[in-house]
Amino acid sequence: MKAQRDYRLTQLDELEAESIHIFREVAAEFEKPVIMFSGGKDSIVMLRLAQKAFYPARVPFPVLQVDTGYDFPEVLATRDGWVERLGARLIVASVEQAIADGVVDDDGKTSRNRLQIGTLLHAIEENGFTAAFGGGRRDEEKARAKERVYSHRDEFGQWDPKNQRPELWSVYNGQLHEGEHMRIFPLSNWTELDIWHYLRREQVEIPSIYFSHRRRVFERDGMLLTESDYNPLRSGETASERQVRFRTVGDLTLTGCVESDADTYDSIIDEISVARLTERGATRGDDRFSEAAMEDRKKMGYF
């Protein structure tokens, strides 16, 4: 007796298909989209999905990275590797350059992470981008849980969480007025665990710091931060070498790591399966300034 073939999609296949559909919708609907790409795990999955969406053609959008000047070298190397393999055009919006040009004001108190907001908005306006893909997921943080897939931004680049468009039956409204743009989140329905299962399946290049390694770190505000010239030790702080890995990457002065022996995809998946905090809640200092820190930044134009 001939066995029947099972045509049901796995959860990863369904998520992949939904994200690819979003990429193709944006390509058809918007005049000038761009992919915001940090070199971190979520933006790598996003770029992999874009690659699949338009294969065998090239990804038809440029890649935009907002460089704080304090990014992990391993992440920048991964970014460059992806851009070179895909033959994509890389646009680097430098916070350092934005400060020099007077685009943003460095008062010595505001973090580089927050200075990304003005830098990003300037890059979007200067290049005339009408849609910007971001790797945000709803499970990361409660402000991001409020996002639609198509997240409208007004002529000032601001987001109003109370004024969002319905997306019933995955029908997206991309209508824009002069000066407005849309943020697009094709990974909205993915979780951190989904991301790692997909990375394991695809076996694509990711920064080595996501895996367990030895690093000199020190404790500050309940997080383990990297010892660096950008991160001078304060009175009473001491650095030591520990076995750690990163769950998320960003500005190294604010991005913490966790003690871990997980050095393979399987061991990372096992570790995340029992974690009680999201990666942002556990290791991102910029989300600890206030209860609504992320939402406040997003209203101003953050990722």
Side-chain angles (χ1 to χ4, degrees), residues 46-242:
M46 189 168 61
L47 201 55
R48 175 62 168 167
L49 292 164
Q51 184 183 25
K52 288 190 174 188
F54 303 105
Y55 184 82
R58 287 185 178 182
V59 176
F61 321 122
V63 168
L64 170 64
Q65 190 231 349
V66 182
D67 183 4
T68 65
Y70 297 162
D71 293 303
F72 291 94
E74 297 91 340
V75 176
L76 295 180
T78 302
R79 175 205 70 185
D80 293 341
W82 269 94
V83 169
E84 183 179 354
R85 277 194 303 277
L86 296 182
R89 180 166 71 95
L90 174 64
I91 301 169
V92 178
S94 166
V95 172
E96 198 78 55
Q97 190 61 48
I99 294 171
D101 294 343
V103 173
V104 296
D105 179 31
D106 184 9
D107 59 6
K109 299 177 182 178
T110 305
S111 73
R112 286 292 181 95
N113 194 61
R114 286 175 176 259
L115 293 179
Q116 288 182 96
I117 298 172
T119 307
L120 171 63
L121 293 178
H122 178 72
I124 289 174
E125 182 180 5
E126 186 177 49
N127 290 278
F129 295 128
T130 53
F133 290 96
R137 309 184 323 266
R138 291 190 178 117
D139 76 316
E140 283 184 89
E141 201 273 342
K142 54 191 173 185
R144 285 188 164 168
K146 298 179 182 180
E147 288 277 18
R148 298 288 194 266
V149 174
Y150 276 31
S151 180
H152 174 263
R153 304 300 165 109
D154 65 19
E155 64 270 27
F156 302 107
Q158 297 176 330
W159 172 64
D160 182 358
K162 296 180 180 179
N163 184 25
Q164 297 195 74
R165 300 169 181 180
E167 293 180 343
L168 303 175
W169 304 289
S170 298
V171 176
Y172 307 112
N173 180 356
Q175 183 176 358
L176 294 173
H177 294 103
E178 186 70 29
E180 298 176 343
H181 73 277
M182 202 72 75
R183 302 286 173 86
I184 312 293
F185 297 104
L187 303 182
S188 289
N189 294 326
W190 296 58
T191 66
E192 183 184 9
L193 203 52
D194 293 327
I195 293 293
W196 281 105
H197 278 293
Y198 193 75
L199 288 169
R200 180 178 64 178
R201 189 180 86 173
E202 298 297 303
Q203 291 293 309
V204 293
E205 180 193 5
I206 64 173
S208 59
I209 59 175
Y210 279 118
F211 299 97
S212 179
H213 60 284
R214 302 292 295 179
R215 177 176 292 262
R216 285 187 62 80
V217 297
F218 62 93
E219 188 168 344
R220 179 182 295 168
D221 299 329
M223 295 189 303
L224 294 177
L225 297 176
T226 299
E227 183 183 39
S228 163
D229 292 339
Y230 303 127
N231 244 358
L233 297 177
R234 297 173 184 172
S235 177
E237 293 177 339
T238 57
S240 61
E241 190 174 278
R242 301 197 198 182

Side-chain angles (χ1 to χ4, degrees), residues 228-281:
S228 163
D229 292 339
Y230 303 127
N231 244 358
L233 297 177
R234 297 173 184 172
S235 177
E237 293 177 339
T238 57
S240 61
E241 190 174 278
R242 301 197 198 182
Q243 193 77 18
V244 299
R245 75 173 194 88
F246 288 85
R247 289 180 64 185
T248 183
V249 297
D251 180 339
L252 67 79
T253 66
L254 291 170
T255 304
C257 50
V258 294
E259 291 194 88
S260 172
D261 293 320
D263 57 0
T264 64
Y265 284 115
D266 288 334
S267 56
I268 288 174
I269 288 169
D270 289 342
E271 183 179 271
I272 293 170
S273 297
V274 296
R276 301 301 296 270
L277 286 175
T278 68
E279 67 267 46
R280 294 199 70 92

